[in-house]
Amino acid sequence: MASQRLGLAEESGPNPGESELAVNPFDGLPFSSRYYELLEQRRALPIWASRFIFLEQLESSPGGVVLVSGEPGSGKSTQIPQWCAEFALARGFQEGRVTVTQPHPLAALSLAMRVADEMDLTLGHEVGYSIPQEDCTGPDTLLRFCWDGLLLQEVASTRGTGAWGVLVLDEAQERSVASDLLQGLLQNARLGNLPGDSRVVVVTDPALEPKLQAFWGNPPTVHVPRRPGTCPTPVYRDTVPTDRVEAACQAVIELCTKEAPGDVLVYLPSEEEILLCCESLSREVGPLALRGPPPRVLPLHPGCGPAVQAAYEDTDLGARKVVVTHWLADFSFSLPSIRHVIDSGLELRSVYNPQIRAESQVLRPISKCQAEARRLRAKGVPPGKSLCPTEIKHEKNPHTQTQETCSGLLSQVFLPSGSCLCLYPKSFLELEAPLLPTARICEVNLSPVVLLLKRRQIAEPGECHFLDQPAPEALMQALEDLDYLAALDDDGNLSDLGVILSEFPLPPELAKALLASCEFNCVDEMLTLAAMLTAAPGFTHPPLSAEEAALRRALEHTDGDHSSLIQVYEAFIQSGADKAWCQARGLNWAALCQAQKLRGDLLELMQQIELPLSQPAFGSEQNRTDLQKALLSGYFLKVARDTDGTGNYLLLTHKHVAQLSPYCCYRSRRSPTRPPPWVLYHTFSISKDNCLSIVSEIQPQMLVELAPPYFLSNLPPSESRDLLNQLREGMADSSVESESSSTREFGDACVLQ
């Protein structure tokens, strides 16, 4: 048994007399004193009692699959990878290293840092991480934390996945596209190039355990004991507040006033509300008369980048931390210091509609599984105290309703122990919330997924094993879009072009535009545009002052938003990637830095594939035309026409009407001009104003020239389709006349000779 062969320091207590002699088997160096301090904390985790059982199951599992089921905060994400590394070490790493996937890049980064500290190893050497635009691994890396989307891209690529002895799929209950698809590929019998004698560990919340048991054929399951102590009973409001941000802020302020010990975790639906809440709290907690220092307000969302580590750091002089987040922290980012949770009960998600090729921003209740995970966050260390929910009556004055309601609740909730305040009635989740989070693979554009499956030689995407099967119409729409992009051949298999498209970590239409730039000699500009569209798509908020508005207008390009993005990037590089320069213009400095890294990665990939490059020519008339052609080669599906000259755009592929985004350069120009009659857009989102984002003017003749003829024929009946067909017929007649004229000239030349 692997557990019997291991002779690591975890098996015996820290003996002061022998600690200097104990050697870390992973790097051959003596353990530090901090290692033993952290070892005591690890032994206090609920999962520690399952260590030997897990190692035995990992060694003896007949199918090589082990399921680990436990509640959030029990230590699964930090301890399971270390035990898998011990298992691989006992086997001499003959099958390769240990790879651990996470559904969020920030979680992979954060866990790698924590586990390297616990194992007394160097981050970037024995323990590393791989996230978009950042690979902190080396030839000596034995334990690698990886964003699951990146590992999925590696699986699809001809460059291979690298050898791994143990693959840990963590947080399976989050149902990310990559996690579900990786499980499906591992289940599929035709997946031929993964390691043979490998192990797969699937880590999940108990709520998803029955589905995973059935999917994997009842593999050995390790059940993590529940944490000791009683979890706080949530206290509910009797109605949903009209202003969630105000209600959450009032709850935090009341908590700070009562000086209940412990840090606070606030759940709001969206990043916009997170930022509003942080700004409001930062203003309001300063003047409070508190005994200690004012609380430190910290946002936690994907845009935070490495700054997310601030949530784990000890604050100066014992200041309380107030962490404001959303669904990102439902299962990831366990913070032991959290003692109080304020939950809005909602999440804002993008849901793709294949029938209209558009995303909708859907505000919906969280699942019961998520609500339970949020409640468990309040256990803290030590665990919180059990409380009884109390009904609170509202005052009739609507202006004081939110404040007085929260105050009445908080007077009963925020005791010296932990607490969980739900800003919604108990019936809200019982009647409207699903049991489990919705599988993301059922809510996204499946074109990248189908492209990957075709790359894995799975001819029919419906044949792949899925935990939840996507809708047939979503798969059919994805196949149709890939066919339009020439990614499929006449037999429905991946074409040579499709193989190259699958190499890029980009949506298929953007990858096609990048490849087309090789033909139209605008690779340098399309590399910049691809990086910006992926990482830093322009301004995120209205200008805060006239000075900022003027600085923004200086970055706008007359050709539209796409050229403006290129201009922004070039100005950013010329500024020396200066953070103050970005702040003065309302630009996201971290996103622009990420775009710079992504552009370098894309350039390196094109060089590896040996695709032709071109010299910079941005600003010339020829480059302007070439760039439009490259964009249209990939985005002909995303074209709209202004039907009445007032900015009401009818989308070609369906009869939805949309307007330009408030951040579009055509709307921010001073002189009133007629909106461009034909535009190409990057995204269309069904929201309160149905906006087209990242828009540039195009010529319909160019669309007819570059789009597949059968695409134009398949458009729904409209005046726009009729105009395009007339243009196509006129261009065909001109072509015939030109050929006829050339024939006559050739014939005359023969006679003269």
Side-chain angles (χ1 to χ4, degrees):
M1 294 292 180
S3 58
Q4 295 174 343
R5 296 200 302 265
L6 291 169
L8 303 180
E10 285 92 333
E11 299 202 27
S12 59
N15 189 330
E18 300 178 358
S19 61
E20 296 181 359
L21 301 178
V23 174
N24 192 328
F26 292 100
D27 63 2
L29 299 176
F31 285 114
S32 67
S33 59
R34 176 164 176 77
Y35 170 81
Y36 291 106
E37 294 174 5
L38 294 177
L39 181 58
E40 286 302 306
Q41 298 178 19
R42 296 170 59 194
R43 285 176 170 161
L45 294 170
I47 197 172
W48 192 263
S50 305
R51 178 171 180 264
F52 289 105
I53 297 175
F54 170 76
L55 288 170
E56 289 172 358
Q57 298 287 15
L58 193 62
E59 173 75 20
S60 60
S61 174
V65 178
V66 176
L67 190 62
V68 179
S69 175
E71 65 182 26
S74 58
K76 306 185 301 298
S77 296
T78 56
Q79 303 312 302
I80 292 295
Q82 298 185 57
W83 300 342
C84 290
E86 296 173 18
F87 172 80
L89 176 65
R91 304 171 76 188
F93 289 97
Q94 295 177 359
E95 301 298 333
R97 61 186 175 184
V98 177
T99 297
V100 184
T101 68
Q102 288 292 324
H104 309 294
L106 289 182
L109 168 62
S110 178
L111 282 169
M113 296 175 68
R114 174 65 183 182
V115 169
D117 195 21
E118 290 187 357
M119 296 180 72
D120 210 15
L121 297 173
T122 304
L123 185 65
H125 289 270
E126 296 84 7
V127 178
Y129 62 88
S130 299
I131 59 177
Q133 290 81 62
E134 189 171 357
D135 183 23
C136 186
T137 61
D140 298 327
T141 299
L142 308 175
L143 176 57
R144 174 198 184 207
F145 289 84
C146 179
W147 177 48
D148 56 13
L150 195 60
L151 181 63
L152 184 64
Q153 181 66 28
E154 293 174 359
V155 168
S157 171
T158 55
R159 298 186 301 277
T161 63
W164 46 262
V166 183
L167 176 62
V168 181
L169 301 174
D170 198 7
E171 308 294 4
Q173 75 282 349
E174 291 212 23
R175 306 304 307 277
S176 70
V177 173
S179 178
D180 276 16
L181 197 52
L182 282 168
Q183 293 186 70
L185 292 174
L186 289 168
Q187 272 281 58
N188 195 287
R190 281 172 286 183
L191 188 61
N193 65 347
L194 288 180
D197 187 23
S198 59
R199 296 289 188 274
V200 176
V201 179
V202 183
V203 184
T204 183
D205 186 88
L208 191 63
E209 180 187 334
K211 181 182 282 285
L212 289 173
Q213 282 277 7
F215 181 79
W216 286 104
N218 297 315
T221 303
V222 177
H223 294 95
V224 181
R226 294 181 65 90
R227 285 186 285 173
T230 305
C231 184
T233 301
V235 175
Y236 299 92
R237 287 182 50 123
D238 56 356
T239 60
V240 177
T242 55
D243 190 331
R244 290 182 295 273
V245 174
E246 181 185 357
C249 290
Q250 285 294 333
V252 173
I253 292 171
E254 184 71 16
L255 169 63
C256 295
T257 303
K258 293 184 177 297
E259 299 186 354
D263 294 340
V264 187
L265 187 61
V266 181
Y267 285 98
L268 290 171
S270 65
E271 288 188 21
E272 180 181 0
E273 289 178 296
I274 290 173
L275 296 177
L276 288 174
C277 184
C278 289
E279 292 173 359
S280 179
L281 286 174
S282 298
R283 290 192 306 267
E284 296 180 23
V285 298
L288 295 178
L290 303 175
R291 294 180 184 176
R296 186 181 180 189
V297 182
L298 301 169
L300 177 55
H301 56 78
C304 292
V308 69
Q309 289 301 119
Y312 292 90
E313 298 171 356
D314 294 331
T315 55
D316 297 334
L317 303 176
R320 183 201 307 275
K321 287 181 290 189
V322 179
V323 181
V324 188
T325 186
H326 57 16
W327 44 262
L328 179 69
D330 282 340
F331 302 102
S332 303
F333 300 98
S334 295
L335 304 172
S337 60
I338 295 298
R339 302 293 299 281
H340 307 282
V341 170
I342 300 169
D343 179 19
S344 67
L346 296 168
E347 64 177 3
L348 185 69
R349 290 283 195 168
S350 294
V351 178
Y352 185 77
N353 186 335
Q355 296 179 345
I356 59 176
R357 293 183 173 88
E359 288 189 345
S360 303
Q361 298 297 312
V362 178
L363 183 66
R364 63 191 184 191
I366 59 175
S367 67
K368 294 180 174 67
C369 177
Q370 290 170 277
E372 176 67 8
R374 294 182 179 187
R375 184 175 71 92
L376 291 172
R377 295 295 193 200
K379 270 193 172 183
V381 180
K385 183 178 179 181
S386 177
L387 301 171
C388 296
T390 305
E391 293 295 327
I392 304 297
K393 298 299 181 182
H394 291 288
E395 298 293 336
K396 294 182 179 179
N397 187 346
H399 300 288
T400 60
Q401 174 177 318
T402 298
Q403 181 173 353
E404 293 178 2
T405 301
C406 286
S407 178
L409 284 170
L410 292 166
S411 64
Q412 302 174 57
V413 174
F414 291 135
L415 302 179
S417 298
S419 60
C420 179
L421 172 62
C422 300
L423 302 178
Y424 51 85
K426 188 175 182 179
S427 59
F428 176 71
L429 288 182
E430 292 178 346
L431 298 177
E432 300 185 39
L435 177 62
L436 296 169
T438 304
R440 293 298 296 161
I441 203 167
C442 298
E443 296 184 330
V444 299
N445 183 353
L446 293 180
S447 295
V449 173
V450 173
L451 186 67
L452 182 145
L453 294 178
K454 291 289 185 179
R455 183 61 183 268
R456 300 306 311 177
Q457 298 181 350
I458 299 176
E460 295 297 332
E463 295 178 0
C464 182
H465 292 83
F466 291 104
L467 276 168
D468 287 289
Q469 193 75 17
E473 55 268 24
L475 290 170
M476 290 302 299
Q477 178 265 319
L479 287 167
E480 182 181 57
D481 287 359
L482 292 176
D483 187 45
Y484 284 145
L485 292 171
L488 305 178
D489 60 21
D490 294 338
D491 297 324
N493 299 318
L494 215 58
S495 65
D496 292 341
L497 176 64
V499 172
I500 300 177
L501 292 181
S502 68
E503 287 286 327
F504 287 91
L506 300 171
E509 62 272 15
L510 184 53
K512 175 68 179 296
L514 183 56
L515 287 183
S517 70
C518 299
E519 176 185 353
F520 297 115
N521 298 314
C522 55
V523 176
D524 187 82
E525 292 75 22
M526 269 306 306
L527 279 171
T528 299
L529 189 52
M532 290 292 286
L533 289 171
T534 304
F539 304 104
T540 57
H541 60 79
L544 303 178
S545 64
E547 182 182 2
E548 181 178 315
L551 291 173
R552 286 190 181 189
R553 280 195 296 271
L555 296 173
E556 293 177 355
H557 197 281
T558 55
D559 286 345
D561 293 336
H562 294 85
S563 294
S564 295
L565 286 177
I566 299 175
Q567 195 153 275
V568 166
Y569 179 83
E570 292 190 347
F572 169 72
I573 297 301
Q574 291 174 5
S575 75
D578 184 59
K579 193 171 186 178
W581 181 89
C582 294
Q583 292 174 342
R585 291 156 179 79
L587 291 165
N588 188 323
W589 174 79
L592 282 167
C593 291
Q594 186 179 5
Q596 185 180 10
K597 293 179 181 178
L598 177 58
R599 189 187 187 280
D601 292 344
L602 292 173
L603 176 59
E604 181 180 354
L605 180 56
M606 293 189 72
Q607 291 170 339
Q608 290 177 359
I609 304 175
E610 299 182 352
L611 293 172
L613 305 178
S614 58
Q615 294 299 315
F618 183 63
S620 68
E621 188 64 29
Q622 183 61 46
N623 181 262
R624 173 188 181 188
T625 302
D626 292 339
L627 190 59
Q628 288 182 351
K629 288 183 177 181
L631 279 170
L632 266 173
S633 297
Y635 283 89
F636 54 84
L637 282 163
K638 296 185 175 182
V639 172
R641 172 176 170 264
D642 183 7
T643 56
D644 55 9
T646 62
N648 291 316
Y649 285 91
L650 184 69
L651 278 61
L652 283 187
T653 53
H654 49 84
K655 295 184 178 180
H656 270 70
V657 177
Q659 286 73 41
L660 300 180
S661 164
Y663 306 119
C664 177
C665 67
Y666 295 114
R667 294 190 62 172
S668 60
R669 292 176 180 172
R670 288 182 173 178
S671 57
T673 58
R674 177 186 171 94
W678 292 81
V679 296
L680 174 148
Y681 60 91
H682 182 60
T683 57
F684 167 53
S685 179
I686 300 178
S687 57
K688 59 183 178 182
D689 46 7
N690 286 3
C691 282
L692 302 176
S693 299
I694 316 295
V695 172
S696 292
E697 183 176 5
I698 63 163
Q699 299 303 317
Q701 295 86 351
M702 194 178 292
L703 174 63
V704 172
E705 175 188 349
L706 295 170
Y710 55 91
F711 164 72
L712 298 177
S713 301
N714 291 340
L715 289 174
S718 67
E719 184 181 356
S720 301
R721 188 186 74 166
D722 295 340
L723 290 173
L724 292 174
N725 284 327
Q726 290 174 12
L727 283 173
R728 182 172 63 174
E729 293 171 359
M731 293 171 65
D733 293 340
S734 299
S735 177
V736 171
E737 291 178 4
S738 176
E739 291 178 2
S740 176
S741 175
S742 299
T743 302
R744 286 196 302 270
E745 291 175 1
F746 179 75
D748 293 341
C750 292
V751 171
L752 291 172
Q753 290 175 351

